[in-house]
Amino acid sequence: MADQEVIKHTKKVYKIWSNKEHGLWSKIKEFLIEICIIVFAVTLSIWLHDRSEHAHQQQVVKQFLTGLRSDLENDIKEMKTDKENYRQSQAAFKYVLNSAKSKTMDQDSLKRHQGGIFISVQFVPNDGRYEGFKSSGNIGNIENAALQNDIVDFYQENIKTLVLTNNYYSARKEKFFDYFINNIKRSNDSTISTNISSLLMSDVSQSYSMTLVGLDEVLARYDSCINKAGKIISEINKEYH
């Protein structure tokens, strides 16, 4: 609509200067009026376009943030489950180390801790939505600067550090698994013998256990990510009530 007005008044300016019936001052007066109308129409057109573009950007941001909230809620659930599994693993390796000191391993206690000994934890964040939004160049459209910074810090620092720490621990545990698989004995074709206890009491297993019991840093990384994710969810809730 504004574009049509500009065209109409531009034609009118041309007619004013072409009209021989008007004097110079009359032409100048009408010319200035038409120029003002054109400037106003162009300014209005730009303002309306910017407003429309901004509204579209903020709608995209809203869709992203409400979707991100769901991703983070799922991540928190997974991280809390991972933490519980890690605590079980830590308790299990503490038991293995203490058993070596007392030179005895109770079979009922071993069965209770066996899940923690052989459990494998791998955290996979729901970061596809964030990566897509970032690659499209839309992160800067989040107007809440604190929220924008928290989201970037969470995925670029907190999550990456957690995944690296997690992978490092998993790599150590894989070596322990390899040792166990290569040395497990079978009493017949279908039953694994009770040399599990002797394997866990061996010097090699004890050496692995001393490195695998140290999970405080891993758990601290999980706590940091859970707290940051919870903070981001609270900030999104404030933005959209």
Side-chain angles (χ1 to χ4, degrees), residues 164-175:
L164 285 173
T165 305
N166 197 319
N167 289 344
Y168 178 68
Y169 182 85
S170 295
R172 284 185 290 166
K173 204 163 190 180
E174 283 296 327
K175 292 180 180 179

Side-chain angles (χ1 to χ4, degrees), residues 16 25 44 56 61 66 77 80 103 112 127 135 147 166 168 178 181 196 206 220 231:
I16 289 171
W25 289 111
L44 179 62
H56 173 69
V61 168
T66 52
K77 290 178 183 177
K80 287 182 176 179
K103 299 190 183 302
R112 188 169 66 251
D127 60 357
S135 64
L147 175 57
N166 197 319
Y168 178 68
D178 289 342
I181 291 170
I196 289 178
Q206 289 297 301
K231 182 184 178 186

